[in-house]
Coordinates of all heavy atoms in Angstrom, one line a residue:
H791 N -124.8 -222.9 9.7 CA -125.0 -222.9 8.3 C -123.7 -222.4 7.5 O -123.1 -221.5 8.0 CB -126.2 -222.0 7.9 CG -126.5 -222.0 6.5 ND1 -127.0 -223.1 5.8 CD2 -126.3 -221.0 5.5 CE1 -127.1 -222.7 4.5 NE2 -126.7 -221.5 4.3
N792 N -123.4 -223.1 6.5 CA -122.2 -222.8 5.7 C -120.9 -223.0 6.5 O -119.9 -222.4 6.2 CB -122.2 -221.4 5.1 CG -123.2 -221.3 4.0 OD1 -123.6 -222.3 3.4 ND2 -123.5 -220.1 3.6
L793 N -120.9 -223.9 7.5 CA -119.7 -224.2 8.2 C -119.5 -225.7 8.2 O -120.5 -226.5 8.5 CB -119.8 -223.7 9.7 CG -118.6 -223.9 10.5 CD1 -117.8 -222.6 10.5 CD2 -119.0 -224.2 11.9
E794 N -118.4 -226.2 7.9 CA -118.1 -227.6 7.8 C -117.0 -228.0 8.8 O -115.9 -227.4 8.7 CB -117.8 -228.0 6.4 CG -117.6 -229.5 6.2 CD -117.2 -229.8 4.7 OE1 -117.7 -229.1 3.8 OE2 -116.5 -230.8 4.5
M795 N -117.2 -229.0 9.6 CA -116.2 -229.5 10.5 C -115.5 -230.7 10.0 O -116.1 -231.6 9.5 CB -116.8 -229.8 11.9 CG -116.0 -230.6 12.8 SD -114.7 -229.5 13.5 CE -113.9 -230.6 14.6
K796 N -114.1 -230.6 9.9 CA -113.3 -231.7 9.4 C -112.3 -232.1 10.5 O -111.5 -231.2 10.9 CB -112.6 -231.4 8.1 CG -113.5 -231.3 7.0 CD -112.7 -231.2 5.7 CE -113.7 -231.0 4.5 NZ -112.9 -230.8 3.3
H797 N -112.4 -233.3 11.0 CA -111.4 -233.7 12.1 C -110.2 -234.3 11.4 O -110.3 -235.3 10.6 CB -112.0 -234.7 13.0 CG -111.1 -235.2 14.0 ND1 -110.7 -234.4 15.1 CD2 -110.4 -236.4 14.1 CE1 -109.8 -235.1 15.8 NE2 -109.6 -236.3 15.2
L798 N -109.0 -233.7 11.6 CA -107.8 -234.2 11.0 C -106.9 -234.7 12.2 O -106.3 -233.9 12.9 CB -107.0 -233.1 10.2 CG -107.8 -232.5 9.1 CD1 -107.1 -231.3 8.5 CD2 -108.2 -233.5 8.0
P799 N -106.8 -236.0 12.4 CA -106.0 -236.5 13.5 C -104.6 -236.0 13.5 O -103.9 -235.9 12.5 CB -106.0 -238.0 13.3 CG -107.2 -238.3 12.4 CD -107.3 -237.1 11.5
G800 N -104.2 -235.5 14.7 CA -102.8 -235.0 14.9 C -102.6 -233.5 14.5 O -101.6 -232.9 14.8
A801 N -103.6 -232.9 13.8 CA -103.5 -231.5 13.4 C -104.0 -230.6 14.5 O -105.0 -230.9 15.2 CB -104.2 -231.3 12.1
D802 N -103.4 -229.4 14.7 CA -104.0 -228.4 15.6 C -105.3 -227.9 15.0 O -105.3 -227.6 13.8 CB -103.0 -227.3 15.8 CG -101.8 -227.7 16.6 OD1 -101.9 -228.7 17.4 OD2 -100.7 -227.1 16.5
P803 N -106.3 -227.7 15.8 CA -107.6 -227.2 15.3 C -107.4 -225.8 14.8 O -106.8 -224.9 15.5 CB -108.5 -227.3 16.4 CG -107.7 -227.3 17.7 CD -106.4 -227.9 17.3
E804 N -108.0 -225.5 13.7 CA -108.0 -224.1 13.2 C -109.3 -223.9 12.3 O -109.8 -224.9 11.7 CB -106.8 -223.8 12.4 CG -106.5 -224.7 11.2 CD -105.1 -224.5 10.6 OE1 -104.4 -223.6 11.0 OE2 -104.8 -225.2 9.6
L805 N -109.7 -222.7 12.2 CA -110.8 -222.3 11.4 C -110.2 -221.7 10.1 O -109.4 -220.8 10.1 CB -111.7 -221.2 12.1 CG -112.9 -220.7 11.3 CD1 -113.9 -221.8 11.0 CD2 -113.5 -219.6 12.1
V806 N -110.6 -222.3 9.0 CA -110.1 -221.9 7.7 C -111.2 -221.2 7.0 O -112.2 -221.9 6.7 CB -109.5 -223.1 6.9 CG1 -109.0 -222.6 5.5 CG2 -108.5 -223.8 7.7
L807 N -111.1 -219.9 6.7 CA -112.1 -219.2 6.0 C -111.8 -219.2 4.5 O -110.6 -218.9 4.1 CB -112.2 -217.8 6.5 CG -112.5 -217.6 8.0 CD1 -112.4 -216.2 8.4 CD2 -113.8 -218.2 8.3
L808 N -112.8 -219.5 3.7 CA -112.6 -219.7 2.2 C -113.4 -218.6 1.5 O -114.5 -218.3 2.0 CB -113.0 -221.1 1.7 CG -112.2 -222.2 2.4 CD1 -112.8 -223.5 1.9 CD2 -110.8 -222.2 2.1
S809 N -113.0 -218.2 0.3 CA -113.8 -217.3 -0.5 C -114.8 -218.1 -1.3 O -114.9 -219.4 -1.2 CB -112.9 -216.6 -1.6 OG -112.5 -217.5 -2.6
F810 N -115.7 -217.4 -2.0 CA -116.7 -218.1 -2.8 C -116.1 -219.0 -3.8 O -116.7 -219.9 -4.3 CB -117.7 -217.2 -3.4 CG -117.2 -216.3 -4.5 CD1 -117.3 -216.6 -5.8 CD2 -116.4 -215.1 -4.1 CE1 -116.8 -215.8 -6.8 CE2 -115.9 -214.3 -5.1 CZ -116.1 -214.7 -6.5
R811 N -114.8 -218.8 -4.2 CA -114.1 -219.7 -5.1 C -113.3 -220.7 -4.4 O -112.4 -221.4 -5.0 CB -113.2 -218.8 -6.0 CG -113.9 -217.9 -6.9 CD -112.9 -217.2 -7.8 NE -113.5 -216.3 -8.7 CZ -113.3 -215.0 -8.8 NH1 -112.3 -214.4 -8.1 NH2 -114.0 -214.2 -9.6
Y812 N -113.5 -220.9 -3.1 CA -112.8 -221.9 -2.3 C -111.3 -221.6 -2.2 O -110.5 -222.4 -2.0 CB -113.0 -223.3 -2.8 CG -114.5 -223.7 -2.7 CD1 -115.3 -223.6 -3.7 CD2 -115.0 -224.1 -1.4 CE1 -116.7 -223.9 -3.6 CE2 -116.3 -224.5 -1.3 CZ -117.2 -224.4 -2.4 OH -118.5 -224.7 -2.3
E813 N -111.0 -220.3 -2.3 CA -109.6 -219.8 -2.1 C -109.5 -219.5 -0.6 O -110.3 -218.9 0.0 CB -109.3 -218.6 -2.9 CG -109.4 -218.9 -4.4 CD -109.5 -217.6 -5.3 OE1 -110.0 -216.6 -4.8 OE2 -109.0 -217.7 -6.4
E814 N -108.3 -219.9 0.0 CA -108.1 -219.6 1.4 C -108.0 -218.1 1.7 O -107.2 -217.4 1.0 CB -106.9 -220.3 1.9 CG -106.7 -220.2 3.4 CD -105.5 -221.0 3.9 OE1 -105.4 -222.2 3.5 OE2 -104.7 -220.5 4.6
L815 N -108.7 -217.6 2.6 CA -108.7 -216.2 3.0 C -107.9 -216.0 4.3 O -107.1 -215.0 4.4 CB -110.1 -215.6 3.1 CG -111.0 -215.6 1.9 CD1 -112.3 -215.1 2.3 CD2 -110.3 -214.7 0.8
E816 N -108.1 -216.8 5.2 CA -107.5 -216.7 6.6 C -107.6 -218.0 7.3 O -108.5 -218.8 7.1 CB -108.3 -215.6 7.3 CG -107.8 -215.2 8.6 CD -108.6 -214.1 9.3 OE1 -109.5 -213.6 8.7 OE2 -108.2 -213.7 10.4
R817 N -106.6 -218.2 8.2 CA -106.6 -219.3 9.1 C -106.6 -218.8 10.6 O -105.7 -217.9 10.9 CB -105.4 -220.2 8.9 CG -105.5 -221.1 7.7 CD -104.2 -221.9 7.5 NE -104.4 -222.7 6.3 CZ -104.8 -224.0 6.4 NH1 -105.0 -224.6 7.5 NH2 -105.0 -224.7 5.2
I818 N -107.5 -219.2 11.4 CA -107.6 -218.8 12.8 C -107.3 -220.0 13.7 O -108.1 -220.9 13.7 CB -108.9 -218.2 13.1 CG1 -109.2 -217.0 12.1 CG2 -109.0 -217.7 14.5 CD1 -110.6 -216.5 12.1
P819 N -106.2 -220.0 14.5 CA -105.9 -221.1 15.4 C -107.0 -221.1 16.5 O -107.4 -220.1 17.0 CB -104.5 -220.8 15.9 CG -104.1 -219.5 15.4 CD -105.2 -218.9 14.5
L820 N -107.4 -222.4 16.8 CA -108.4 -222.5 17.8 C -107.9 -223.3 19.1 O -108.7 -223.4 20.0 CB -109.6 -223.3 17.2 CG -110.3 -222.7 16.0 CD1 -111.3 -223.6 15.4 CD2 -110.9 -221.3 16.3
S821 N -106.7 -223.7 19.1 CA -106.1 -224.5 20.2 C -106.3 -223.9 21.5 O -106.6 -224.6 22.5 CB -104.6 -224.8 20.0 OG -104.4 -225.5 18.8
D822 N -106.1 -222.6 21.7 CA -106.2 -221.9 23.0 C -107.5 -221.4 23.3 O -107.7 -220.7 24.3 CB -105.1 -220.8 23.0 CG -103.7 -221.4 22.9 OD1 -103.5 -222.5 23.3 OD2 -102.8 -220.6 22.3
M823 N -108.5 -221.7 22.5 CA -109.9 -221.2 22.7 C -110.8 -222.2 23.3 O -110.7 -223.4 23.1 CB -110.5 -220.7 21.4 CG -109.7 -219.6 20.7 SD -110.4 -219.1 19.1 CE -111.8 -218.1 19.6
T824 N -111.7 -221.7 24.2 CA -112.7 -222.6 24.8 C -113.9 -222.8 23.8 O -113.9 -222.0 22.8 CB -113.3 -222.0 26.1 OG1 -114.0 -220.8 25.7 CG2 -112.2 -221.7 27.1
R825 N -114.7 -223.8 24.0 CA -115.9 -224.0 23.1 C -116.7 -222.7 23.0 O -117.2 -222.3 22.0 CB -116.7 -225.2 23.7 CG -117.9 -225.5 22.8 CD -118.7 -226.6 23.5 NE -119.7 -227.1 22.6 CZ -119.7 -228.2 22.0 NH1 -118.7 -229.1 22.1 NH2 -120.6 -228.6 21.1
E826 N -116.9 -222.1 24.2 CA -117.7 -220.8 24.2 C -117.1 -219.7 23.4 O -117.7 -219.0 22.6 CB -118.0 -220.4 25.6 CG -118.8 -219.1 25.8 CD -120.2 -219.3 25.2 OE1 -120.8 -220.4 25.3 OE2 -120.8 -218.3 24.7
E827 N -115.8 -219.6 23.5 CA -115.0 -218.6 22.7 C -115.1 -218.9 21.2 O -115.3 -217.9 20.4 CB -113.6 -218.5 23.1 CG -113.4 -217.9 24.5 CD -111.9 -218.1 25.0 OE1 -111.3 -219.0 24.6 OE2 -111.5 -217.2 25.7
I828 N -115.1 -220.1 20.8 CA -115.2 -220.5 19.4 C -116.6 -220.2 18.9 O -116.8 -219.7 17.8 CB -114.8 -222.0 19.2 CG1 -113.3 -222.2 19.5 CG2 -115.2 -222.5 17.8 CD1 -112.9 -223.7 19.6
N829 N -117.6 -220.5 19.7 CA -119.0 -220.2 19.3 C -119.2 -218.7 19.1 O -119.8 -218.3 18.2 CB -120.0 -220.7 20.4 CG -120.2 -222.2 20.3 OD1 -119.9 -222.9 19.3 ND2 -120.5 -222.9 21.4
Q830 N -118.6 -217.9 20.0 CA -118.7 -216.5 19.9 C -118.0 -216.0 18.6 O -118.5 -215.1 17.9 CB -118.1 -215.8 21.1 CG -119.0 -215.9 22.4 CD -118.3 -215.4 23.6 OE1 -117.2 -215.0 23.6 NE2 -119.0 -215.5 24.8
L831 N -116.8 -216.5 18.4 CA -116.1 -216.2 17.2 C -116.9 -216.4 15.9 O -117.0 -215.6 15.0 CB -114.7 -216.9 17.1 CG -113.9 -216.8 15.8 CD1 -113.5 -215.4 15.6 CD2 -112.8 -217.8 15.8
V832 N -117.4 -217.6 15.8 CA -118.2 -218.0 14.6 C -119.4 -217.1 14.5 O -119.7 -216.7 13.3 CB -118.6 -219.5 14.7 CG1 -119.6 -219.9 13.7 CG2 -117.3 -220.4 14.6
Q833 N -120.0 -216.8 15.6 CA -121.2 -215.9 15.5 C -120.8 -214.5 15.1 O -121.4 -213.9 14.2 CB -121.9 -215.9 16.8 CG -123.3 -215.2 16.8 CD -124.1 -215.4 18.0 OE1 -123.5 -215.8 19.1 NE2 -125.3 -215.2 18.0
A834 N -119.6 -214.0 15.6 CA -119.1 -212.7 15.3 C -118.7 -212.6 13.8 O -118.8 -211.5 13.2 CB -117.9 -212.3 16.2
L835 N -118.3 -213.7 13.2 CA -117.9 -213.8 11.8 C -119.1 -213.8 10.9 O -119.0 -213.7 9.7 CB -117.1 -215.0 11.5 CG -115.6 -214.9 12.1 CD1 -115.0 -216.3 12.0 CD2 -114.8 -213.8 11.4
G836 N -120.4 -214.0 11.5 CA -121.6 -213.9 10.7 C -122.2 -215.2 10.3 O -123.1 -215.2 9.5
F837 N -121.7 -216.3 10.8 CA -122.3 -217.6 10.6 C -123.7 -217.7 11.2 O -123.9 -217.1 12.3 CB -121.4 -218.7 11.0 CG -120.2 -219.0 10.2 CD1 -119.0 -218.3 10.5 CD2 -120.3 -219.8 9.1 CE1 -117.9 -218.5 9.7 CE2 -119.2 -220.0 8.3 CZ -118.0 -219.4 8.6
Y838 N -124.6 -218.3 10.6 CA -126.0 -218.5 11.2 C -126.1 -219.8 11.9 O -125.7 -220.8 11.3 CB -127.0 -218.4 10.1 CG -128.4 -218.6 10.5 CD1 -129.1 -217.6 11.2 CD2 -129.1 -219.8 10.4 CE1 -130.4 -217.7 11.6 CE2 -130.4 -220.0 10.8 CZ -131.0 -219.0 11.4 OH -132.3 -219.1 11.9
R839 N -126.6 -219.8 13.1 CA -126.8 -221.0 13.9 C -128.2 -221.4 13.8 O -129.1 -220.7 14.3 CB -126.3 -220.8 15.3 CG -126.4 -222.1 16.1 CD -125.8 -222.0 17.4 NE -125.8 -223.3 18.1 CZ -125.0 -223.6 19.1 NH1 -124.1 -222.7 19.6 NH2 -125.1 -224.8 19.6
K840 N -128.5 -222.6 13.2 CA -129.8 -223.1 13.2 C -130.3 -223.6 14.5 O -129.5 -224.1 15.3 CB -129.9 -224.2 12.1 CG -129.6 -223.7 10.7 CD -129.9 -224.8 9.6 CE -128.9 -225.9 9.6 NZ -129.1 -226.8 8.5
E841 N -131.6 -223.5 14.8 CA -132.1 -224.0 16.0 C -132.0 -225.6 16.1 O -131.7 -226.1 17.2 CB -133.6 -223.6 16.2 CG -133.8 -222.1 16.3 CD -133.2 -221.6 17.6 OE1 -133.3 -222.3 18.6 OE2 -132.7 -220.4 17.5
T842 N -132.3 -226.2 15.0 CA -132.1 -227.7 14.9 C -131.4 -228.0 13.6 O -131.5 -227.2 12.7 CB -133.5 -228.4 15.0 OG1 -134.3 -228.0 13.8 CG2 -134.2 -228.1 16.3
P843 N -130.8 -229.1 13.5 CA -130.1 -229.5 12.2 C -131.0 -229.4 10.9 O -130.5 -229.0 9.9 CB -129.6 -230.9 12.4 CG -129.5 -231.0 13.9 CD -130.6 -230.2 14.5
D844 N -132.2 -229.7 11.1 CA -133.1 -229.6 9.9 C -133.9 -228.3 9.8 O -134.8 -228.2 8.9 CB -134.0 -230.9 9.8 CG -134.9 -231.0 11.1 OD1 -134.6 -230.3 12.1 OD2 -135.9 -231.7 11.0
A845 N -133.7 -227.4 10.6 CA -134.4 -226.1 10.6 C -134.1 -225.3 9.3 O -132.9 -225.4 8.8 CB -134.1 -225.3 11.8
P846 N -135.0 -224.6 8.7 CA -134.7 -223.8 7.5 C -133.8 -222.6 7.9 O -133.8 -222.1 9.0 CB -136.1 -223.3 7.1 CG -137.0 -223.3 8.3 CD -136.4 -224.5 9.2
V847 N -133.1 -222.2 6.9 CA -132.2 -221.0 7.0 C -132.9 -219.8 6.4 O -133.3 -219.9 5.2 CB -130.8 -221.3 6.4 CG1 -129.9 -220.1 6.4 CG2 -130.2 -222.5 7.0
P848 N -133.1 -218.7 7.1 CA -133.7 -217.5 6.4 C -132.9 -217.1 5.2 O -131.7 -217.2 5.1 CB -133.6 -216.4 7.5 CG -133.4 -217.2 8.8 CD -132.7 -218.4 8.5
D849 N -133.6 -216.5 4.2 CA -133.0 -216.1 2.9 C -131.8 -215.2 3.1 O -130.8 -215.4 2.4 CB -134.1 -215.4 2.1 CG -135.1 -216.4 1.5 OD1 -134.9 -217.6 1.5 OD2 -136.2 -215.9 1.1
E850 N -131.9 -214.3 4.1 CA -130.8 -213.3 4.2 C -129.5 -214.0 4.7 O -128.4 -213.4 4.7 CB -131.2 -212.2 5.1 CG -131.5 -212.5 6.6 CD -133.0 -212.9 6.8 OE1 -133.7 -213.2 5.9 OE2 -133.4 -212.8 8.0
F851 N -129.6 -215.2 5.2 CA -128.4 -215.9 5.7 C -128.0 -217.1 4.8 O -127.0 -217.8 5.1 CB -128.7 -216.5 7.1 CG -128.8 -215.5 8.2 CD1 -130.0 -215.1 8.7 CD2 -127.7 -214.8 8.6 CE1 -130.2 -214.1 9.6 CE2 -127.8 -213.8 9.6 CZ -129.0 -213.5 10.1
Q852 N -128.6 -217.3 3.6 CA -128.3 -218.4 2.8 C -126.8 -218.4 2.4 O -126.2 -219.4 2.3 CB -129.2 -218.3 1.5 CG -130.6 -218.8 1.7 CD -130.7 -220.2 2.2 OE1 -130.0 -221.1 1.7 NE2 -131.5 -220.5 3.2
F853 N -126.2 -217.2 2.1 CA -124.8 -217.1 1.7 C -124.0 -216.6 2.8 O -122.8 -216.3 2.5 CB -124.7 -216.3 0.4 CG -125.5 -217.0 -0.7 CD1 -126.7 -216.4 -1.1 CD2 -125.0 -218.1 -1.4 CE1 -127.5 -217.0 -2.2 CE2 -125.8 -218.7 -2.4 CZ -127.0 -218.2 -2.8
A854 N -124.5 -216.4 3.9 CA -123.7 -215.8 5.1 C -122.7 -216.9 5.5 O -122.9 -218.1 5.4 CB -124.6 -215.5 6.2
P855 N -121.5 -216.5 5.9 CA -121.1 -215.1 6.1 C -120.3 -214.6 4.9 O -119.5 -213.7 5.1 CB -120.1 -215.3 7.3 CG -119.5 -216.6 7.1 CD -120.6 -217.4 6.4
A856 N -120.6 -215.1 3.7 CA -119.9 -214.6 2.6 C -120.1 -213.1 2.4 O -121.1 -212.6 2.6 CB -120.4 -215.3 1.3
K857 N -119.0 -212.5 2.0 CA -119.0 -211.0 1.7 C -119.5 -210.9 0.3 O -119.4 -211.8 -0.5 CB -117.6 -210.5 1.9 CG -117.2 -210.6 3.4 CD -115.8 -210.0 3.5 CE -115.4 -210.2 5.0 NZ -114.0 -209.8 5.2
P858 N -120.0 -209.7 -0.1 CA -120.4 -209.4 -1.5 C -119.2 -209.7 -2.4 O -118.1 -209.6 -2.1 CB -120.8 -208.0 -1.5 CG -121.0 -207.6 -0.1 CD -120.1 -208.5 0.8
L859 N -119.6 -210.1 -3.6 CA -118.5 -210.3 -4.7 C -117.8 -209.1 -4.9 O -118.3 -208.0 -4.9 CB -119.2 -210.8 -6.0 CG -119.9 -212.1 -5.9 CD1 -120.6 -212.4 -7.2 CD2 -119.0 -213.2 -5.5
P860 N -116.4 -209.2 -5.1 CA -115.7 -208.0 -5.4 C -116.1 -207.3 -6.7 O -116.6 -208.0 -7.6 CB -114.2 -208.5 -5.5 CG -114.3 -210.0 -5.7 CD -115.7 -210.4 -5.1
I861 N -116.0 -206.0 -6.8 CA -116.3 -205.3 -8.0 C -115.2 -205.6 -9.0 O -114.0 -205.5 -8.7 CB -116.3 -203.8 -7.7 CG1 -117.4 -203.5 -6.7 CG2 -116.5 -203.0 -9.0 CD1 -117.4 -202.1 -6.1
L862 N -115.6 -206.1 -10.2 CA -114.7 -206.4 -11.2 C -114.3 -205.1 -11.9 O -115.1 -204.3 -12.4 CB -115.3 -207.3 -12.2 CG -115.7 -208.7 -11.7 CD1 -116.3 -209.5 -12.7 CD2 -114.5 -209.4 -11.1
L863 N -113.0 -204.8 -11.9 CA -112.4 -203.6 -12.5 C -112.1 -203.8 -13.9 O -111.6 -204.9 -14.3 CB -111.2 -203.1 -11.7 CG -111.4 -202.9 -10.2 CD1 -110.1 -202.6 -9.5 CD2 -112.4 -201.7 -10.0
P864 N -112.3 -202.8 -14.7 CA -111.9 -202.9 -16.2 C -110.4 -203.1 -16.3 O -109.7 -202.7 -15.4 CB -112.4 -201.6 -16.8 CG -112.5 -200.6 -15.7 CD -112.8 -201.5 -14.4
P865 N -109.9 -203.7 -17.4 CA -108.5 -203.8 -17.6 C -107.9 -202.4 -17.6 O -108.5 -201.4 -18.0 CB -108.4 -204.4 -19.0 CG -109.7 -204.6 -19.5 CD -110.7 -204.1 -18.5
E866 N -106.6 -202.4 -17.1 CA -105.9 -201.1 -17.0 C -105.5 -200.7 -18.4 O -104.9 -201.4 -19.1 CB -104.7 -201.2 -16.1 CG -105.1 -201.5 -14.6 CD -103.9 -201.7 -13.7 OE1 -102.8 -201.5 -14.2 OE2 -104.2 -202.1 -12.6
V867 N -105.8 -199.4 -18.7 CA -105.4 -198.9 -20.0 C -104.6 -197.6 -19.7 O -104.9 -196.9 -18.8 CB -106.6 -198.5 -20.9 CG1 -106.8 -199.4 -22.0 CG2 -107.9 -198.3 -20.1
P868 N -103.5 -197.4 -20.5 CA -102.7 -196.2 -20.2 C -103.6 -195.0 -20.4 O -104.5 -194.9 -21.2 CB -101.6 -196.3 -21.3 CG -101.6 -197.7 -21.8 CD -103.0 -198.2 -21.5
T869 N -103.2 -194.0 -19.6 CA -103.9 -192.7 -19.6 C -103.4 -191.9 -20.8 O -102.5 -192.4 -21.6 CB -103.7 -191.9 -18.3 OG1 -102.3 -191.7 -18.2 CG2 -104.3 -192.6 -17.1
A870 N -104.0 -190.7 -21.1 CA -103.6 -189.9 -22.2 C -102.1 -189.6 -22.3 O -101.5 -189.5 -23.3 CB -104.4 -188.6 -22.2
D871 N -101.5 -189.5 -21.1 CA -100.1 -189.2 -21.0 C -99.2 -190.4 -21.2 O -98.0 -190.4 -21.1 CB -99.7 -188.4 -19.8 CG -99.9 -189.2 -18.5 OD1 -100.4 -190.4 -18.6 OD2 -99.7 -188.6 -17.4
G872 N -99.8 -191.6 -21.5 CA -99.1 -192.8 -21.7 C -98.7 -193.6 -20.5 O -98.2 -194.7 -20.5
K873 N -99.1 -193.1 -19.3 CA -98.8 -193.8 -18.0 C -99.9 -194.7 -17.6 O -101.1 -194.5 -17.9 CB -98.5 -192.8 -16.9 CG -97.3 -191.9 -17.1 CD -97.1 -191.0 -16.0 CE -95.9 -190.1 -16.2 NZ -95.7 -189.1 -15.2
T874 N -99.6 -195.9 -17.0 CA -100.6 -196.8 -16.5 C -101.0 -196.4 -15.1 O -100.1 -196.1 -14.3 CB -100.0 -198.2 -16.5 OG1 -99.6 -198.6 -17.8 CG2 -101.1 -199.2 -16.1
P875 N -102.3 -196.3 -14.9 CA -102.8 -195.8 -13.5 C -102.3 -196.9 -12.5 O -102.1 -198.0 -12.8 CB -104.3 -195.7 -13.7 CG -104.6 -196.5 -14.9 CD -103.4 -196.5 -15.7
P876 N -102.2 -196.5 -11.2 CA -101.8 -197.4 -10.2 C -102.9 -198.5 -10.0 O -104.1 -198.2 -10.3 CB -101.7 -196.6 -8.9 CG -102.4 -195.3 -9.2 CD -102.4 -195.1 -10.7
K877 N -102.4 -199.7 -9.6 CA -103.4 -200.8 -9.4 C -104.3 -200.5 -8.3 O -103.9 -200.0 -7.2 CB -102.6 -202.1 -9.2 CG -102.0 -202.7 -10.4 CD -101.5 -204.1 -10.1 CE -100.9 -204.7 -11.3 NZ -100.6 -206.1 -11.1
R878 N -105.6 -200.9 -8.4 CA -106.6 -200.8 -7.4 C -107.0 -202.2 -7.0 O -107.2 -203.0 -7.8 CB -107.8 -200.0 -7.8 CG -107.5 -198.6 -8.2 CD -108.7 -197.9 -8.8 NE -109.1 -198.5 -10.0 CZ -110.2 -198.3 -10.7 NH1 -111.1 -197.4 -10.2 NH2 -110.5 -198.9 -11.8
E879 N -107.0 -202.4 -5.7 CA -107.4 -203.7 -5.2 C -108.7 -203.6 -4.4 O -108.9 -202.6 -3.7 CB -106.3 -204.3 -4.3 CG -105.1 -204.7 -5.2 CD -104.1 -205.5 -4.3 OE1 -104.4 -205.9 -3.2 OE2 -103.0 -205.6 -4.8
H880 N -109.5 -204.7 -4.4 CA -110.7 -204.7 -3.6 C -110.2 -204.9 -2.1 O -109.3 -205.6 -1.8 CB -111.5 -205.9 -4.0 CG -112.8 -206.0 -3.3 ND1 -113.0 -206.5 -2.1 CD2 -114.1 -205.5 -3.7 CE1 -114.3 -206.4 -1.7 NE2 -114.9 -205.8 -2.7
P881 N -110.8 -204.2 -1.1 CA -110.3 -204.2 0.2 C -110.4 -205.6 0.9 O -109.6 -205.9 1.8 CB -111.2 -203.3 1.0 CG -112.4 -203.0 0.1 CD -111.9 -203.3 -1.3
D882 N -111.2 -206.5 0.4 CA -111.3 -207.9 1.0 C -110.3 -208.8 0.4 O -110.2 -210.0 0.8 CB -112.7 -208.5 0.8 CG -113.7 -207.7 1.6 OD1 -113.3 -207.0 2.6 OD2 -114.9 -207.8 1.3
L883 N -109.5 -208.4 -0.6 CA -108.5 -209.3 -1.2 C -107.1 -209.1 -0.6 O -106.7 -208.1 -0.2 CB -108.5 -209.1 -2.7 CG -109.8 -209.4 -3.4 CD1 -109.7 -209.2 -4.9 CD2 -110.2 -210.9 -3.2

């Protein structure tokens, strides 16, 4: 569930992980992995494997393996001493 296979002739196989905005998060090369290793990787990443193609997906896996949305931080405003606080980033970005 939530995994799409695209065959690109001549390209080395890789798993491309995208954010909920379809922004690329990571590329994992698959060339040196066996089918079993790839299945284990996909399962370890949190993808849900349906029993059959038309089987329902439990509610808790509908958006899996998506991580929760990042916390939106308020715009940075200078502190009382006029300095801008250091930038904070979400750990998944």
Side-chain angles (χ1 to χ4, degrees):
H791 178 69
N792 286 345
L793 185 94
E794 183 178 331
M795 167 69 176
K796 290 185 180 178
H797 177 73
L798 302 174
D802 288 334
E804 58 187 359
L805 178 63
V806 180
L807 301 175
L808 304 174
S809 73
F810 68 97
R811 292 185 180 125
Y812 297 97
E813 298 164 331
E814 185 177 313
L815 298 174
E816 185 176 0
R817 284 181 179 259
I818 303 171
L820 303 175
S821 297
D822 297 330
M823 298 175 77
T824 65
R825 181 185 190 106
E826 182 60 33
E827 290 170 329
I828 293 170
N829 285 336
Q830 289 173 357
L831 170 66
V832 169
Q833 192 169 16
L835 289 170
F837 286 91
Y838 178 77
R839 184 173 184 158
K840 298 191 282 184
E841 294 294 324
T842 62
D844 58 341
V847 176
D849 289 342
E850 64 268 23
F851 291 104
Q852 285 298 319
F853 300 103
K857 296 179 181 174
L859 296 177
I861 298 169
L862 297 177
L863 302 174
E866 293 177 11
V867 252
T869 57
D871 61 2
K873 296 180 181 176
T874 303
K877 286 189 174 187
R878 297 177 292 172
E879 291 186 13
H880 188 277
D882 291 339
L883 298 177

